[in-house]
RNA sequence: GGCGGCGUAGCUCAGAUGGUUAGAGCAUACGGUUCAUACCCGUAGAGUCACUGGUUCGAAUCCAGUCGCCGCUACCA
C-alpha cells in the first residue's frame, strides 16, 4: 500500500512567521496530512527549522547571544506557535542537527565522487573589524549610479541598478558600520547544475501533473540555462565541509536545508529506532508518494537545485511526486513586512482568536492560482458567515432545541424517510466533492465543499421545522433532531482536517469514545450512528462574530509603519 | 534595465489543450422562517472578461502593442 510522505518548506529560524508563510506551506500540508490520516492512509509529515546562514549569525550577534543559543530559543518559540496552531507534524526537526550534518556531508561526498563538484576562486568582501566575510547585501554604501547613500552591495533599492559590492562608493559593513573592508579571494565549491541540466529537465518533464505555477517556474530556469551554483560559504555556523582547505567554511544553507527533510526524518527515527525506519521513507522507497508544499519563492530550489543534488548522488533517494506551489497572500494589496510590522504574525493571530478561525479562513482564501489578498473585512465576513452563521449556528440551534424540549439525551422515535434520504444524498455529494478536491490538492475548492456540507443541515432543519413538528408529531420531531445531532457528528469528522480543535470540541459534546473518534469520511456518512438515549452537552457558542468596531481596531493595529 | 506574473460582477477569486445564454462565495434587493450567535432558507439584479489591433467560422482563453499593479533578478532566505 502507498505510504504518504509530506514536507512543508522549512521556515527560517529568524523570527516569527506571518499568516502568508503559514498559508503558503505548513497549513495546507497539515490539512493534507490530516485528510489522508482521516482516509486511513499511512502518513509521515515532516518539517523543521532552517537554522544556518548569515542572517541567523547576525541576529544572534544583535541579541548578544551565541548563535547556537539563539537558535535554541527561536526554534522553541516557532515550534510552540506551530503546535498551538494544530500543525500535526510527525516530527519538527532542526537543520543544525547532527543527523543533518552527517547526511549533508554524505550528499557532498557522493556528488564529489561523481564529479559534480567543481572548485573555483571567488572574491568577497572581508570586514576586518567584524572578522567575517560579508555577503553582498551586507555591504552598504553610496550607489555609483544614483548617489543613494544606503545602497546594498547586490542592488540599489533606490534606482534598482544591479551592483557589485566593489562598485559602492565608501562601502561599509551593514553589521558594524565599519569601513575597514577589503576584497579577498577564497576557494569555493560549486554544484554542476549545468552538467545535470538535461537530467533535471527530463525529470521535470516527467511530472506532467504538477500545478501550472510549479511547472512554469521550473521550465523558466531550465530555459535560461543552468549555471554551476556555489554551495559553500565563509562562515562558521553551518555544516562543515569535509575537504582539505575548507576548515573555515561551511555549506551554504540552501544546500543543507532540503537535506534536512531527510535529516529530520532520521531525527524522528533515532528517537525510537526499533519502531521507526527513516530510510524506508527516503531510500529505495518505491511505495512512497512524496508531496512537497511551499510558496513560489521556494520553487526553483525544489524543482531544480534539490533534485539536481539527488540526481548527482546516483543513489535512489526519494524525489517529489507532487510539488504544490502557492502564490503570495498579500496584506491590503502589499507585502507582509517584518521590518515594518505590517500584517498579522502567527503569535498575534492566536492572541486575537483561536486557531480554527485562522485555519478555515486561510484555507478558504489560499493563493493557489493567483495571489490573494488579506483584509480584515474579508476575514470577518468569512468567520461570521461560514463559521459562526452556518456551522456554529447549526450546532447551537439543534442542541439547544433538543435540550429544551427533550432534555440532554438523543431523542427516540420516528421513522427514517424520504427527507432523510435526500439529506444523505446531498451530504454524500459534498463529501465526495471535498474528498476529490483534497486528493487533487485543491484547497479552496475543499473549503467550499465543506461549507456546502454545513449548509445542508440548515436547509434540512428549515425544511422539516421540528419546532412546528413538536406540536403535532413528537416522534417525527425526534427523528429530525436525532438526525441533526448525527449531522453534528458528520461535521465533526469531516471538518477535522481544517478545524481540528472544533472537531475535538464537538466529539466531547457528543461524548464520543476514542474508538468512535477514529471514524473516517465514509463512516461520517452514517446519519444513524448515534442512537437514541445517548447523552450530550450543550456547548458554549462555537465561533463568535466579529463586529465592525473590532475589525476597525485590528486594521489600525496591524497597518504597520509607513515608509 | 532584464525576466516573470497579473488586470474577469461592488469585494475576494474560478474559468486545461479557443466553441452553446462567462461561474462561485461574499455584499446588495426582495420574499420566507422564528428553534438559533438580529441567525437560517429561497429568489433576483449585477460583468463592453484593462485597452487597441490581429489570427480564426468562432477568443476571457492564441499573437502583437499600450496602460496599470506586483514579484523576482540566482552571495537574504
Amino acid at each position: 500500500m502507498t505510504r504518504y510522505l509530506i514536507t512543508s518548506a522549512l521556515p527560517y529560524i529568524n523570527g516569527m512567521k506571518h499568516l502568508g508563510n503559514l498559508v503558503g506551506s505548513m497549513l495546507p500540508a497539515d490539512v493534507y496530512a490530516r485528510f489522508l490520516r482521516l482516509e486511513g492512509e499511512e502518513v509521515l509529515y515532516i518539517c523543521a527549522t532552517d537554522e544556518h546562514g548569515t542572517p541567523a549569525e547576525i541576529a544572534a550577534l544583535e541579541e548578544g547571544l551565541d548563535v547556537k543559543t539563539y537558535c535554541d530559543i527561536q526554534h522553541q518559540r516557532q515550534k510552540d506557535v506551530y503546535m498551538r496552531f494544530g500543525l500535526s507534524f510527525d516530527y519538527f526537526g532542526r537543520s543544525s542537527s547532527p543527523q543533518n550534518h552527517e547526511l549533508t556531508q554524505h550528499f557532498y561526498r557522493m556528488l564529489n565522487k561523481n564529479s559534480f563538484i567543481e572548485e573555483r576562486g571567488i572574491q568577497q568582501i572581508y570586514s576586518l573589524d567584524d572578522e567575517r566575510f560579508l555577503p553582498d547585501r551586507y555591504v552598504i554604501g553610496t550607489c555609483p549610479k544614483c548617489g543613494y547613500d544606503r545602497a546594498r552591495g547586490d542592488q540599489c533599492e533606490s534606482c534598482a541598478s544591479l551592483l557589485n559590492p566593489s562598485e559602492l562608493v565608501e562601502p561599509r559593513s551593514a553589521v558594524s558600520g565599519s569601513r575597514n573592508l577589503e576584497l579577498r579571494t577564497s576557494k569555493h565549491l560549486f554544484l554542476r547544475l549545468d552538467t545535470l541540466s538535461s537530467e533535471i529537465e527530463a525529470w521535470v518533464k516527467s511530472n506532467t501533473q504538477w500545478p501550472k505555477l510549479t511547472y512554469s517556474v521550473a521550465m523558466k530556469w531550465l530555459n535560461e540555462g543552468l549555471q554551476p551554483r556555489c554551495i559553500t560559504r565563509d562562515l562558521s555556523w553551518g555544516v562543515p565541509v569535509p575537504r582539505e582547505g575548507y576548515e573555515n567554511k561551511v555549506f551554504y544553507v540552501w544546500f543543507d536545508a532540503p537535506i534536512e527533510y531527510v535529516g529530520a526524518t532520521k531525527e524522528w527515527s533515532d528517537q525510537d529506532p526499533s519502531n521507526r525506519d527513516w530510510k524506508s521513507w527516503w531510500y529505495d522507497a518505491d511505495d512512497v508518494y512524496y508531496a512537497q508544499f511551499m510558496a513560489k519563492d521556494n520553487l526553483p530550489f525544489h524543482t531544480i537545485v534539490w533534485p539536481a543534488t539527488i540526481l548527482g548522488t546516483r543513489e535512489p533517494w526519494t524525489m517529489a511526486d507532487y510539488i504544490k506551489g502557492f502564490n503570495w497572500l498579500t496584506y491590503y494589496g502589499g507585502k507582509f513586512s517584518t521590518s515594518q510590522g505590517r500584517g498579522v504574525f502567527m503569535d498575534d493571530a492566536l492572541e486575537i482568536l483561536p486557531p480554527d478561525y485562522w485555519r478555515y479562513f486561510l484555507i478558504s482564501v489560499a493563493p493557489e492560482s493567483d495571489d490573494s489578498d488579506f483584509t480584515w473585512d474579508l476575514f470577518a465576513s468569512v468567520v461570521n458567515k461560514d463559521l459562526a452563521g452556518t456551522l456554529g449556528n447549526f450546532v447551537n440551534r439543534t442542541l439547544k432545541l433538543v435540550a429544551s424540549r427533550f432534555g440532554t439525551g438523543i431523542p427516540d422515535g420516528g421513522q427514517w424517510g424520504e427527507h432523510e434520504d435526500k439529506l444523505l444524498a446531498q451530504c454524500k455529494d459534498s463529501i465526495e466533492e471535498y474528498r476529490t478536491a483534497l486528493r487533487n490538492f485543491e484547497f479552496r475548492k475543499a473549503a467550499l465543499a465543506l461549507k456546502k456540507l454545513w449548509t445542508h443541515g440548515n436547509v434540512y432543519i428549515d425544511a422539516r421545522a421540528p419546532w412546528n413538528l413538536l406540536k403535532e408529531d413528537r416522534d417525527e420531531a425526534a427523528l429530525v433532531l436525532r438526525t441533526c445531532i448525527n449531522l453534528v457528528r458528520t461535521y465533526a469528522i469531516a471538518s477535522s482536517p481544517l478545524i481540528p480543535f472544533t472537531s475535538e470540541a464537538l466529539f466531547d459534546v457528543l461524548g464520543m469514545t476514542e474508538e468512535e473518534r477514529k471514524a473516517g469520511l465514509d463512516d461520517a456518512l452514517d446519519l444513524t450512528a448515534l442512537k437514541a438515549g445517548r447523552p450530550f452537552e450543550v456547548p458554549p457558542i462555537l465561533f463568535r462574530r466579529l463586529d465592525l468596531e473590532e475589525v476597525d481596531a485590528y486594521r489600525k493595529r496591524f497597518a504597520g509603519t509607513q515608509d
Side-chain angles (χ1 to χ4, degrees), chain A residues 6-12 15-34 45-50 78-79 81-83 85-89 91-92 261 292-295 298 324 326 346 359 362-363 443 497:
Chain A
I6 300 168
T7 62
S8 47
L10 307 188
Y12 195 67
M16 187 52 63
K17 302 303 150 195
H18 53 64
L19 296 181
N21 299 130
L22 178 64
V23 73
S25 59
M26 293 178 280
L27 181 58
D30 180 65
V31 169
Y32 186 66
R34 285 177 179 272
Y45 175 22
I46 296 289
C47 194
T49 39
D50 175 16
Q78 289 204 30
K79 186 175 173 181
V81 78
Y82 300 149
M83 293 302 117
F85 255 98
L87 299 176
S88 61
F89 309 121
Y91 191 78
F92 187 71
Y261 293 140
Q292 296 179 333
F293 292 78
M294 70 206 65
N298 270 314
K324 177 73 179 179
F326 285 89
M346 288 177 71
R359 292 178 59 110
L362 289 171
I363 290 297
F443 292 92

Side-chain angles (χ1 to χ4, degrees), chain A residues 8-18 21 25-26 47-60 67 70-71 74-75 77-79 82 92 95 138 235 237 252-254 256-257 297-298:
Chain A
S8 47
L10 307 188
Y12 195 67
I13 191 69
N14 201 352
M16 187 52 63
K17 302 303 150 195
H18 53 64
N21 299 130
S25 59
M26 293 178 280
C47 194
T49 39
D50 175 16
E51 305 195 354
H52 295 136
T54 312
E57 284 195 335
I58 287 174
V67 64
Y70 172 81
C71 287
Q74 293 295 322
H75 172 83
R77 197 167 154 240
Q78 289 204 30
K79 186 175 173 181
Y82 300 149
F92 187 71
S95 69
Y138 284 103
L235 295 175
W237 178 236
Y252 178 37
V253 277
W254 259 114
D256 76 69
D297 57 331
N298 270 314

